[in-house]
Amino acid sequence: MPQTTPKKKSRIQTRNRHLILDAALDVFSRDGFGGATLDAIARTAGLSKPNLLYYFDGKTEIYVTLLSQLMETWLDPLVELDSNGDPVEELLGYVRRKLDMSMDLPRESRLFAGEIIKGAPQMKPRLESDLKPLFDEKCAAIQVWINEGRLAPVDPAHLLFSIWSTTQHYADFEAQIAVLLEGSAATPRAARHLEQMYRQLLTP
Amino acid sequence: MPQTTPKKKSRIQTRNRHLILDAALDVFSRDGFGGATLDAIARTAGLSKPNLLYYFDGKTEIYVTLLSQLMETWLDPLVELDSNGDPVEELLGYVRRKLDMSMDLPRESRLFAGEIIKGAPQMKPRLESDLKPLFDEKCAAIQVWINEGRLAPVDPAHLLFSIWSTTQHYADFEAQIAVLLEGSAATPRAARHLEQMYRQLLTP
DNA sequence: TCAAATTTTTACCATTTGGTAAAGTCACGA
DNA sequence: TCGTGACTTTACCAAATGGTAAAAATTTGA
């Protein structure tokens, strides 16, 4: 009986698949799906194009595999938002995790952004099946906190949108920020600014 | 003596150039520069590909023309930020203008986002020459307001980043928001949420 | 060690893409 | 109305691109 997720047998399999996915992340996040080429991915990975296609069935499969892996990583900080914790501190912790993620994984952030900008042709099903229920659950939890008077009355959905946009901005618009901030490092001041902003907004 | 900006002579010239630029905005904002094709632009514009190339010298020229026109529109709301006005109201007005712009011109917002995500290969010079001085000027004006005690102490640069990201998010991530919010219209609640957030942050 | 299985390379191919040459069509002023 | 210049179409190309077949090289396991 064939497995739906076939195990990667050899050492060399896993090594090369990782090489390819890392190269593909470079190329897809910079050029988008349409602008990326198999040649560019192969060159970046240090493999030949036919060799690439020995490990993946095609350009689309590489892209989908990347997005699929990314989805888990991307949802993780929100999963960790604990409805039993202190409301303000939980949300500030979430902001912090999202910001760290933007700084540590800018390519992943840009890949995600590019896919959504295009209208999410590949991701839409997973947005509906994975993100939407989690989003609804967390919005409800935030609303409970508000009803209990432990959080200032904010629009839960748009609060989450704000957090996503302000944190991901540092990855997605890095090129613009580099021009405007020149030498100075963005991270510490960004972290301070976001904590100040969301603490004021959320404290009842 | 040839003009640097040759005048568009006939009625049909201007009409077709507009048709092409509008079609190109559709295609480039969805597929990015690399993913866009002249065929797709021509089809969208209702012209033949050679006919396209009668009006523009090539794919790159169309793209650069679009970005160039966009730059003015994009900077405009920030230009209007009046250092003689009331600080909080001026900044809230700016937020409002940026949000309206995202809602009215989502394709332009996505085109801009796509270019920056790629590392701004075409825009970087104009970011340095046009945006950077304006940004520095407005940051300085905000700092003056803070020093005068008319605005809460915030990081001017990161305040502007927040405003850009939270407003543009509604255009750039429209596909995701559509999934999460389903039927309900985002605009009025977004406007309320952003006003609440920035009023609290900025009021001294 | 040596055959079987896995991995890599070489040599291709069909389609798509950005772009051009040149012939044809149209609009307008003399 | 007719010639001239502006516009459009037809018929192409060369390069790039996603992808394949099959031979060659390498690794693996008995």
Side-chain angles (χ1 to χ4, degrees):
Chain A
M1 180 181 181
Q3 295 174 252
T4 47
T5 306
K7 57 191 166 218
K8 298 149 204 162
K9 292 175 199 158
S10 68
R11 214 74 34 76
I12 196 166
Q13 279 263 355
T14 44
R15 180 175 60 82
N16 278 353
R17 281 182 67 100
H18 274 98
L19 267 178
I20 292 166
L21 288 174
D22 190 70
L25 181 56
D26 260 31
V27 176
F28 280 130
S29 67
R30 178 165 27 83
D31 300 333
F33 179 78
T37 68
L38 287 179
D39 286 290
I41 296 171
R43 208 181 316 121
T44 307
L47 298 173
S48 69
K49 184 169 57 171
N51 204 180
L52 262 201
L53 293 164
Y54 173 75
Y55 291 100
F56 289 92
D57 275 347
K59 185 179 171 182
T60 304
E61 205 210 290
I62 302 177
Y63 184 69
V64 169
T65 303
L66 266 182
L67 283 182
S68 192
Q69 291 185 1
L70 176 54
M71 197 66 185
E72 300 168 38
T73 314
W74 222 236
L75 258 43
D76 209 50
L78 187 53
V79 171
E80 287 179 44
L81 189 81
D82 181 6
S83 57
N84 295 318
D86 176 71
V88 174
E89 295 310 320
E90 279 297 326
L91 283 165
L92 290 178
Y94 178 55
V95 170
R96 183 72 224 199
R97 287 195 296 279
K98 285 291 289 179
L99 183 62
D100 288 344
M101 204 145 150
S102 270
M103 299 302 187
D104 295 342
L105 307 172
R107 296 177 306 168
E108 283 83 347
S109 185
R110 279 181 217 128
L111 181 74
F112 186 84
E115 166 69 7
I116 303 292
I117 284 180
K118 270 217 276 292
Q122 306 289 340
M123 291 269 273
K124 198 174 269 172
R126 303 212 48 184
L127 293 181
E128 271 150 6
S129 66
D130 295 23
L131 176 57
K132 179 75 162 69
L134 183 63
F135 176 79
D136 287 341
E137 176 202 325
K138 298 303 178 180
C139 279
I142 292 170
Q143 191 58 56
V144 167
W145 282 338
I146 294 169
N147 294 345
E148 295 172 345
R150 303 166 67 201
L151 202 67
V154 294
D155 190 313
H158 292 266
L159 168 66
L160 291 179
F161 296 159
S162 292
I163 293 174
W164 295 344
S165 63
T166 48
T167 52
Q168 289 170 11
H169 186 81
Y170 289 97
D172 303 344
F173 287 73
E174 196 182 310
Q176 181 178 243
I177 290 173
V179 167
L180 297 179
L181 254 38
E182 292 179 285
S184 55
T187 314
R189 283 172 44 171
R192 254 198 305 281
H193 172 258
L194 293 181
E195 189 187 320
Q196 176 188 355
M197 183 164 81
Y198 288 111
R199 192 179 286 284
Q200 273 209 36
L201 173 67
L202 297 172
T203 304
Chain B
M1 180 182 180
Q3 295 175 252
T4 47
T5 306
K7 60 191 165 216
K8 299 148 206 165
K9 290 174 198 159
S10 68
R11 214 75 34 76
I12 196 165
Q13 278 263 356
T14 44
R15 181 176 59 83
N16 277 354
R17 282 182 67 99
H18 273 99
L19 266 180
I20 292 166
L21 288 173
D22 190 69
L25 182 55
D26 260 30
V27 177
F28 280 129
S29 67
R30 178 164 28 83
D31 301 333
F33 179 77
T37 68
L38 288 180
D39 286 289
I41 297 171
R43 206 180 319 121
T44 308
L47 298 172
S48 68
K49 185 169 58 173
N51 203 180
L52 263 200
L53 293 164
Y54 173 76
Y55 290 101
F56 290 91
D57 274 346
K59 185 179 170 181
T60 303
E61 205 210 289
I62 301 178
Y63 184 69
V64 169
T65 303
L66 267 182
L67 282 182
S68 192
Q69 291 185 1
L70 175 55
M71 198 66 185
E72 299 167 38
T73 315
W74 223 237
L75 259 40
D76 208 49
L78 187 54
V79 172
E80 286 179 45
L81 189 80
D82 182 6
S83 58
N84 296 318
D86 176 72
V88 174
E89 295 310 319
E90 279 296 327
L91 283 165
L92 289 179
Y94 177 54
V95 170
R96 184 72 225 201
R97 287 194 295 280
K98 284 291 288 179
L99 183 63
D100 288 345
M101 204 146 152
S102 270
M103 299 301 187
D104 294 343
L105 307 172
R107 295 176 308 170
E108 283 82 348
S109 184
R110 278 179 218 132
L111 182 74
F112 186 85
E115 167 70 8
I116 303 292
I117 284 179
K118 271 217 276 293
Q122 306 289 340
M123 291 269 273
K124 198 173 268 172
R126 303 212 49 185
L127 292 181
E128 272 151 4
S129 66
D130 294 24
L131 176 58
K132 179 76 162 69
L134 183 64
F135 176 79
D136 287 341
E137 176 202 324
K138 297 303 179 182
C139 279
I142 292 170
Q143 191 56 59
V144 167
W145 281 338
I146 294 170
N147 294 345
E148 294 173 346
R150 302 166 67 201
L151 201 67
V154 293
D155 189 312
H158 291 266
L159 168 66
L160 290 180
F161 296 159
S162 293
I163 294 174
W164 295 345
S165 62
T166 48
T167 53
Q168 290 170 11
H169 186 81
Y170 289 98
D172 303 344
F173 286 73
E174 196 182 311
Q176 180 177 242
I177 291 174
V179 167
L180 298 179
L181 255 39
E182 291 178 285
S184 55
T187 314
R189 285 173 41 172
R192 255 198 305 278
H193 173 258
L194 292 181
E195 190 189 318
Q196 176 189 356
M197 183 164 81
Y198 287 111
R199 190 179 286 284
Q200 274 208 34
L201 174 67
L202 297 172
T203 304

